[in-house]
Structures are given as structure tokens and as C-alpha cells.
């Protein structure tokens, strides 16, 4: 939540910060603001998107080569101009931008109020900047030391950057539980929540660790210390992605681009990790701990949102192929329900961003209880990737649309490899079957390309149902989590209420909802239980529900019953989610566009949820 950008150097800071904020807008778009130092502190802030901020900026007042900017996903205080960041300290000397939550802000606010501080916003952030100022004053110390002392008093999560009117040659940044990366240019530094605002200027970056702060100087030097005041040195890392990867590349929206990128993303996820003709799978992270993983009593998959849906598919895959028990837990529930975990468990944590606070908290708990944590993340160097004992990157490339698409399919691809490698180690799969599945996995990108050709047809279906108020998504077996994911995609970008259900559960309740106004999307590609799905389709038809069925070309019965059919290529049943999700992503996308919704930045959401 919230995107932060800072710049110090010789260039014009304003365009760098504005461009950076636009790249980070996926993290929140409730308000935006900027503070620049050029003798005086100049602040512009506005509710709404960065484009709204640009409208109120006074040309001629943006000349500066040091500054900070923020794009907000509101936590404390409604999204208005007053609560927009940056926030100034009482004296006006300090400006702060903040991503995260200060949990004990109200007691600190009370104490500061007693000392004469007056607050102009409802935010926890304004409390923090005043606490820093108060420490600076009472301890008569430098800004960085004051930041360190103040942060030792706060409880919560943060990534902050502080700008000091009295020192235009320095920025102070710190993090705990929210990401922060420092770009090292030729004669300048960039600070951001992720590397997207930086990549255009430098590929050299340093990732700040939790509980660390950095002092970044205009003279080209920087230093990093822990909040316990121990000096640290981090290796400079090279950014791997290119500028094109974070641009729309001719597509109207990031979401559409990312849906179309799935064939390549899956190829990248599989590259070097399997060979069908030789029948091998090599997941570095898995090999490293193979004995422990092979001896695991069970797997616990923990994740949120779309990543949780791919975890459900992982459960089916691992139990089906490797015959080991798997439990799938919402990270937010897992963390707070005192679960039974022990050192024989392997916890698989799945996260696109690698920064989801609930998932991170679940990992901490698993580690405390001595379980092995295996992270599946997309963002390289992210907190979950770094805190896990072992893991694999999905290599999907940057996913910018708030609705997750290619992250889902690459997570499933990796979970398939994990299940197959485990099955191979445990001897629960015949070599011939393993090869068959691997060959088919290699074919999946081509089959997704074939499925993407259905785009125009899906758009026509979208036009018919764009005004529906409810949708039901039904699937069985491997297609049940796909039904959940299809419903989530529609809800989050079109604001139509949608539910996913196991098809057979419909008769235990949701069937009451069905009438001639209810579109029901059936995922009906299963070879197993096909007849049962036919019966479920009949049940909906008998109640006049509108049936949109995703079927195989070879289907004989459902095509006769459905109002609309979407014919997708056939594949192994265990791989079918990789294909059946694609029409559901496109359906949600087109319905949202036809309803005039902002698909890349849906209301109330943010790409990376770094608060619990
Ligand atoms: O980055 P993560 O995979 O940990 O994020 C988890 C969820 O917040 C995320 O999948 C969310 O549900 C998406 N908006 C779904 O499209």
C-alpha cells in the first residue's frame, strides 16, 4: 500500500518523482503529493490520482534537485487533500512520506499534544514526523539519529523518507515491514517502494532490510545502519527487468497485456527447470532441502487472494501426484488462530508481490514453530523471498495491473513442477506418465495462445451480461479454484457481485439464487465427473439460469444445454486450470471495460497489501 519515491542528485527532481509515482500508482491511488527543497520547502498534494496532483502544481515552483513523493492507499484518515502525504512537522522543517501503519500513534499523539503539537490531518504519519522533530529537539541530535530513536518508539510497519529543510544535501529513509529499494546512479540516488521508478536511470540497487535506515547524501555517499545502530553493508544488486516490462507495450491496459503475456510468462517460469524428453525436473530451491521436504509429514500452503486460489490448485496437485497431505490456509487466519505446526511441516508461502503483510506474518509464525518455509514469489528480492528458507521465483515479469493474472498461471506452473518432482522422488508417478505431463506442460503456452484467439467471442458474451448484478462461477475438481478465481476477477474490476462454488455444492444453497437473470459460468472441461457436471448444468437450465460454459471441442452434451460456449483446447486434467482461467480473465476484463471501470486501478484496492 502506498508508493513512495525520493530523489537526490543533480537532475530536475520533479519529473523523476512524478513519473515514479505514476509507475507506483498500482500501490494506491487515493491521493498523491510531493515535497521539493530549493531553499524553501514546497509541497503540493491532492486527493485522487497523480494526474490530479499535476493539475495543481504551479509551474516555476518545481525547480529542485531533491524531493520526495507519495501515492496513497488510505489507512488512517479518509482520502482527502488534508490527509495526503507528504506531511510536515510542526516547524515545517521536516517533510515525511510513509507507507504502512503506526499502530501506537494515538498514545504518541496524545503525548505530543500535551507538549503543544497541533495536528492538521487524521494520519498516523503526521504523528511520526512530529515525534522525529520532538526527538531532534529534545536530544539535540542529527535527523538520522532522531529518526532512529523515534522509530524505536513506534510499533507498526513503515517505509519512510524524510526531507529536512535545514539539510538540502541529505535524505533519510527507513523500513520495517514495507519494501524499499535505493537506486545508485552516477551522481544521484533514487529511493522507491519498488524498482519501477528507478530502472530508467540505473540498474544498480540496494535493498534495505527490515529495521534498517539509510542516510543518503548528495556527495555520492550513503550509509546503512540498523535501528539498533549497527553499521551494515549490502551488496549492490543488478535489476533484471527492462523498461518495456513495466510499460503497456501497445495494449490499452496492463491487465490485458499481462493476460496476453501468459504464454511467455509460463515459458519463463518453466525454463531450465524441466525437460520432457529427458524426464527431469530441477527446482533449485527444492533440491537444496529435498530430504527435509521428502520427509515432510504434510504441507501447509498459505497465501491471500489469487495466490490462495493457486495454493488450492497446489493442494490438488501435491495430494494427487505425490500423495502427501496438504492444507491450504488464508494467511490472515493462519496467523491468528494458533494453528498446530511443527518442525516436520513444510509451509509453502505464495505471493506475487512477496510483500503481503498477512503472508509475512504467517511465515514468521511458521518459522517460530520450526517449520521449513518455501516461498513462491514473483518479485525478486522481495521480503517473502528473502525471509523464506528456500523457494522459487515465478519469473512472470512485473505484474502491474491490480488484478493478478500472469502471477496466477506461473504460480500454478511452479506448483505443478513441485508436485511432479515430489512424486518422482517418492516414486508415486510412473516415468511414462511424468514425461506425458511434462510434454503437455511444454505445450501449455501454445494452447493458451490458441485460447487467447477467443478474445473477440468473449467480448461479445461480455456485452450481453455487462449489466448483470450477480454472477455464479461453478467448477469441480481442479476447476473449482478456477471458479473462485474467475469470480474474484469479476468482482474486483467490474464491481459485480460474483461467487465461485464447487459445482456440486450449488444444490446446498446457491441454487436458490438462480433465475433468468443469473449468469452462471460453468467450467466444464473435466474428463472425470463429466456426467455430474452435465447434471449441474441441467439443474441451472431447469431454473432458467443463463449458462456460459467453458468446454472442450470434443464436448457433446453441455454445448447443447448452454446459452454460450467457449471452446478451449484439451489438455491433461491436472493442467486444465492453466487454460480455463484465461477466458475468465478476458470475460472479467471486457465486462469491466464495458461498464467503464478502471481495470488497472480498481476502487479501494492496491496491488500490494502491506498492512495486516
Ligand atoms: O502479492 P500477493 O500475491 O501476496 O497478493 C495477494 C492478494 O492481495 C492478491 O492476489 C489480490 O487478491 C489480487 N488483487 C487479486 O487479483
Amino acid at each position: 500500500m502506498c508508493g513512495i519515491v525520493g530523489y537526490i542528485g543533480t537532475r530536475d527532481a520533479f519529473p523523476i518523482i512524478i513519473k515514479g509515482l505514476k509507475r507506483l500508482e498500482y500501490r494506491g491511488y487515493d491521493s498523491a503529493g510531493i515535497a521539493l527543497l530549493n531553499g524553501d520547502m514546497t509541497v503540493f498534494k491532492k486527493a485522487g490520482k497523480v494526474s490530479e496532483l499535476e493539475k495543481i502544481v504551479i509551474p516555476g515552483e518545481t525547480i529542485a534537485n531533491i524531493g520526495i513523493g507519495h501515492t496513497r492507499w488510505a489507512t488512517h484518515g479518509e482520502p482527502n487533500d488534508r490527509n495526503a502525504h507528504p506531511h510536515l512537522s510542526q516547524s515545517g522543517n521536516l517533510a515525511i512520506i510513509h507507507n504502512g501503519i503506526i499502530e501506537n500513534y494515538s498514545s504518541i499523539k496524545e503525548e505530543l499534544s500535551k507538549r503543544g503539537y497541533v495536528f492538521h490531518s487524521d494520519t498516523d504519519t503526521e504523528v511520526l514526523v512530529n515525534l522525529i522533530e520532538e526527538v531532534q529537539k529534545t536530544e539535540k541530535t542529527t535527523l538520522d539519529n532522531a529518526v532512529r530513536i523515534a522509530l524505536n518508539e513506534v510499533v507498526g510497519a513503515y517505509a519512510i523518507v524524510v526531507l529536512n529543510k535545514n539539510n538540502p544535501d541529505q535524505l533519510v529513509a527507513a523500513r520495517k515491514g514495507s519494501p524499499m529499494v535505493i537506486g545508485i546512479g552516477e551522481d544521484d540516488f533514487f529511493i522507491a517502494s519498488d524498482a519501477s521508478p528507478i530502472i530508467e536511470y540505473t540498474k544498480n540497487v540496494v535493498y534495505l532490510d527490515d529495521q534498517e535506515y539509510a542516510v543518503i547524501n548528495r556527495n555520492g555517499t550513503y550509509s546503512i545502519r540498523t535501528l539498533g545502530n549497527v553499521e551494515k553493508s549490502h551488496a549492490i544488486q543488478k535489476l533484471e527487468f527492462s523498461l518495456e516490462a513495466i510499460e503497456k507495450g501497445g495494449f490499452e491496459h496492463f491487465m490485458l497485456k499481462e493476460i496476453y503475456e501468459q504464454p511467455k510468462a509460463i515459458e519463463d517460469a518453466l525454463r531450465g527447470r524441466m525437460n520432457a524428453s529427458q524426464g527431469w525436473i530441477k527446482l533449485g530451491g527444492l533440491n537444496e532441502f529435498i530430504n527435509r521436504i521428502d520427509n515432510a509429514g504434510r504441507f501447509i500452503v498459505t497465501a491471500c487472494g489469487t495466490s490462495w486460489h493457486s495454493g488450492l490448485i497446489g493442494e490438488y496437485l501435491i495430494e494427487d501426484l505425490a500423495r502427501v497431505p496438504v492444507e491450504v490456509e488464508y494467511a490472515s487466519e493462519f496467523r491468528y488462530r494458533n494453528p498446530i505446526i511443527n518442525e516436520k511441516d513444510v509451509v509453502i508461502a505464495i505471493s506475487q508481490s512477496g510483500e503481503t503483510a498477512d503472508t509475512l506474518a504467517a511465515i514468521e509464525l511458521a518459522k517460530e514453530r520450526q517449520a521449513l518455509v518455501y516461498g513462491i514469489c514473483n518479485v525478486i528480492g522481495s521480503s517473502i523471498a528473502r525471509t523464506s528458507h528456500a523457494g522459487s521465483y515465478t519469473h512472470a515479469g512485473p505484474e502491474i495491473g491490480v488484478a493478478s493474472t500472469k502471477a496466477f498461471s506461473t504460480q500454478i506452473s511452479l506448483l505443478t513442477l513441485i508436485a511432479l518432482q515430489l512424486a518422482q522422488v517418492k516414486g508415486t508417478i510412473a516415468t511414462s506418465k511424468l514425461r506425458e505431463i511434462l510434454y503437455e506442460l511444454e505445450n501449455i503456452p501454445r494452447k493458451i495462445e490458441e485460447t487467447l484467439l477467443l478474445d473477440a467471442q468473449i467480448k461479445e458474451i461480455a456485452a450481453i451480461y455487462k449489466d448483470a448484478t450477480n454472477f455464479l462461477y461453478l467448477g469441480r475438481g481442479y476447476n473449482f479454484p478456477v471458479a473462485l478465481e474467475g469470480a474474484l476477477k469479476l468482482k474486483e474490476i467490474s464491481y459485480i457481485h460474483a461467487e465461485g462454488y464447487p459445482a456440486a455444492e450449488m444444490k446446498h444453497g446457491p441454487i436458490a439464487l438462480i433465475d433468468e437473470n443469473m449468469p452462471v459460468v460453468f467450467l466444464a472441461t473435466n474428463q472425470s465427473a463429466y456426467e455430474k457436471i452435465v447434471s449441474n448444468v441441467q439443474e441451472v437450465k431447469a431454473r432458467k439460469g443463463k449458462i456460459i460454459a467453458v468446454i472442450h471441442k470434443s464436448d457433446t452434451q453441455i454445448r447443447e444445454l448452454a446459452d454460450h460456449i467457449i471452446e478451449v483446447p484439451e489438455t491433461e486434467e491436472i493442467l486444465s486450470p492453466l487454460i480455463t482461467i484465461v477466458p475468465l480473465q478476458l470475460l472479467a476484463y471486457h465486462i469491466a471495460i464495458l461498464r467503464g471501470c478502471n481495470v488497472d486501478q480498481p476502487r479501494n484496492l492496491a496491488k500490494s497489501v502491506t498492512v495486516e
Side-chain angles (χ1 to χ4, degrees):
M1 317 310 212
C2 303
I4 61 182
V5 187
Y7 176 78
I8 179 167
T10 50
R11 308 180 208 216
D12 195 1
F14 178 72
I16 293 172
I17 295 172
I18 288 289
K19 205 184 225 184
L21 291 180
K22 287 187 175 164
R23 296 222 170 107
L24 290 179
E25 246 182 345
Y26 72 88
R27 302 178 65 88
Y29 28 84
D30 288 334
S31 64
I34 189 163
L36 300 160
L37 258 190
N38 195 355
D40 224 344
M41 181 91 76
T42 306
V43 178
F44 296 104
K45 48 192 198 170
K46 188 76 194 144
K49 303 212 162 133
V50 180
S51 53
E52 297 302 314
L53 170 69
E54 282 180 295
K55 286 182 199 156
I56 60 142
V57 164
I58 303 166
E61 289 192 14
T62 62
I63 317 291
N65 42 34
I66 179 169
I68 55 178
H70 187 267
T71 176
R72 178 168 186 244
W73 185 83
T75 55
H76 292 69
E78 65 177 86
N80 54 23
D81 294 356
R82 228 162 50 85
N83 290 330
H85 299 211
H87 288 284
L88 296 181
S89 61
Q90 178 108 314
S91 68
N93 286 337
L94 305 181
I96 193 172
I97 47 173
H98 168 216
N99 168 27
I101 289 181
I102 306 301
E103 289 170 17
N104 58 339
Y105 83 103
S106 65
S107 55
I108 300 173
K109 188 173 184 175
E110 213 180 294
E111 188 52 41
L112 289 172
S113 300
K114 283 187 203 149
R115 296 189 201 182
Y117 284 82
V118 177
F119 295 89
H120 306 282
S121 77
D122 313 313
T123 64
D124 49 346
T125 308
E126 194 188 6
V127 175
L128 178 58
V129 72
N130 280 314
L131 175 64
I132 295 169
E133 179 156 294
E134 176 64 9
V135 173
Q136 229 189 341
K137 264 198 332 211
T138 50
E139 303 280 325
K140 297 195 178 24
T141 187
T142 54
L143 174 64
D144 60 301
N145 204 34
V147 166
R148 188 182 65 76
I149 296 168
L151 291 180
N152 276 304
E153 285 183 32
V154 306
V155 178
Y158 48 77
I160 59 165
V161 187
V162 189
L163 184 62
N164 182 0
K165 190 163 129 187
N166 295 326
N167 187 355
D169 297 324
Q170 191 178 79
L171 286 173
V172 178
R175 73 156 275 186
K176 181 183 166 216
S178 291
M180 179 168 283
V181 50
I182 302 169
I184 301 166
E186 296 249 308
D187 49 10
D188 47 9
F189 292 102
F190 308 79
I191 306 171
S193 303
D194 74 26
S196 60
I198 296 175
I199 185 85
E200 197 169 336
Y201 311 101
T202 178
K203 291 215 161 210
N204 296 329
V205 296
V206 163
Y207 292 94
L208 219 56
D209 273 336
D210 261 355
Q211 316 244 31
E212 287 182 349
Y213 71 102
V215 180
I216 298 158
N217 303 307
R218 190 186 295 283
N219 66 8
T221 63
Y222 69 97
S223 60
I224 300 176
R225 305 186 81 83
T226 64
L227 294 181
N229 213 6
V230 177
E231 192 164 354
K232 299 287 276 194
S233 113
H234 290 309
I236 295 178
Q237 301 195 28
K238 283 261 176 248
L239 292 177
E240 282 178 9
F241 65 92
S242 64
L243 192 57
E244 298 92 76
I246 53 166
E247 289 182 337
K248 286 190 194 144
F251 285 88
E252 202 151 332
H253 299 98
F254 281 112
M255 182 183 176
L256 192 62
K257 175 184 177 231
E258 287 155 10
I259 292 172
Y260 273 80
E261 277 174 348
Q262 288 178 109
K264 177 171 181 301
I266 292 174
E267 269 167 15
D268 290 345
L270 300 179
R271 182 165 302 117
R273 289 169 162 170
M274 56 159 278
N275 184 304
S277 58
Q278 292 167 18
W280 57 254
I281 302 151
K282 237 187 277 162
L283 277 169
L286 207 66
N287 287 341
E288 216 184 314
F289 287 87
I290 196 65
N291 285 336
R292 186 140 173 217
I293 293 173
D294 184 23
N295 288 317
R298 64 172 175 168
F299 288 85
I300 300 168
V301 181
T302 188
C304 306
T306 290
S307 298
W308 184 80
H309 295 155
S310 71
L312 280 181
I313 295 172
E315 174 185 23
Y316 287 33
L317 285 162
I318 295 172
E319 291 204 346
D320 205 358
L321 297 169
R323 310 304 300 149
V324 193
V326 182
E327 285 167 31
V328 186
E329 298 263 5
Y330 282 118
S332 52
E333 286 298 311
F334 182 64
R335 173 66 184 86
Y336 291 104
R337 69 167 185 81
N338 194 18
I340 298 167
I341 319 167
N342 61 48
E343 70 289 347
K344 288 206 80 184
D345 291 327
V346 171
V347 171
I348 302 181
I350 308 175
S351 173
Q352 187 288 130
S353 63
E355 301 293 347
T356 300
D358 289 323
T359 312
L360 270 164
I363 291 175
E364 286 318 311
L365 179 73
K367 285 171 80 175
E368 269 165 34
R369 309 256 174 108
Q370 316 299 322
L372 180 85
V373 177
Y374 195 94
I376 296 182
C377 297
N378 190 36
V379 177
I380 313 251
S382 55
S383 301
I384 293 177
R386 284 184 294 148
T387 196
S388 301
H389 297 113
S392 308
Y393 284 115
T394 47
H395 294 308
E399 190 183 66
I400 292 166
V402 165
S404 198
T405 51
K406 61 178 179 171
F408 180 69
S409 39
T410 50
Q411 287 164 353
I412 301 170
S413 305
L414 274 189
L415 287 161
T416 308
L417 289 186
I418 290 173
L420 285 170
Q421 187 168 350
L422 271 174
Q424 195 177 31
V425 170
K426 290 182 177 296
T428 51
I429 190 165
T431 309
S432 56
K433 186 65 194 169
L434 175 76
R435 286 219 169 114
E436 235 172 76
I437 297 173
L438 289 178
Y439 273 121
E440 191 50 25
L441 198 50
E442 276 180 355
N443 273 331
I444 288 288
R446 192 184 50 74
K447 292 190 174 179
I448 294 180
E449 275 163 11
E450 225 180 284
T451 311
L452 288 167
L453 297 175
L454 303 170
D455 196 3
Q457 185 206 336
I458 294 167
K459 190 173 174 182
E460 282 171 22
I461 300 174
I464 299 169
Y465 294 104
K466 71 176 176 39
D467 296 319
T469 46
N470 294 290
F471 259 78
L472 204 53
Y473 286 73
L474 301 175
R476 297 182 82 113
Y478 283 95
N479 274 328
F480 158 53
V482 180
L484 295 179
E485 175 61 6
L488 176 63
K489 287 289 85 85
L490 187 70
K491 274 188 272 222
E492 65 182 339
I493 60 170
S494 75
Y495 320 138
I496 295 176
H497 172 245
E499 288 196 49
Y501 255 90
E505 267 297 299
M506 179 187 60
K507 59 184 174 292
H508 299 289
I511 198 164
L513 295 168
I514 293 172
D515 62 14
E516 65 281 7
N517 298 316
M518 175 66 97
V520 182
V521 179
F522 269 98
L523 296 155
T525 57
N526 308 50
Q527 289 95 346
S528 61
Y530 176 75
E531 292 302 332
K532 303 258 185 242
I533 295 188
V534 175
S535 307
N536 300 142
V537 174
Q538 294 275 22
E539 286 153 12
V540 172
K541 183 136 185 104
R543 288 157 183 87
K544 300 193 169 44
K546 297 285 179 277
I547 297 163
I548 303 163
V550 178
I551 56 169
H552 281 153
K553 290 196 170 70
S554 58
D555 178 279
T556 49
Q557 300 181 55
I558 295 174
R559 66 172 63 247
E560 297 302 322
L561 300 168
D563 296 279
H564 311 275
I565 53 163
I566 300 171
E567 283 182 355
V568 296
E570 307 212 5
T571 186
E572 288 276 345
E573 190 159 342
I574 64 163
L575 303 180
S576 57
L578 290 165
I579 308 274
T580 52
I581 189 56
V582 177
L584 305 196
Q585 293 166 340
L586 288 170
L587 184 66
Y589 171 81
H590 288 300
I591 289 179
I593 294 292
L594 290 165
R595 289 166 68 94
C597 301
N598 183 339
V599 292
D600 283 339
Q601 294 169 349
R603 71 181 179 207
N604 304 338
L605 290 175
K607 183 73 184 160
S608 159
V609 185
T610 54
V611 290
E612 282 185 58

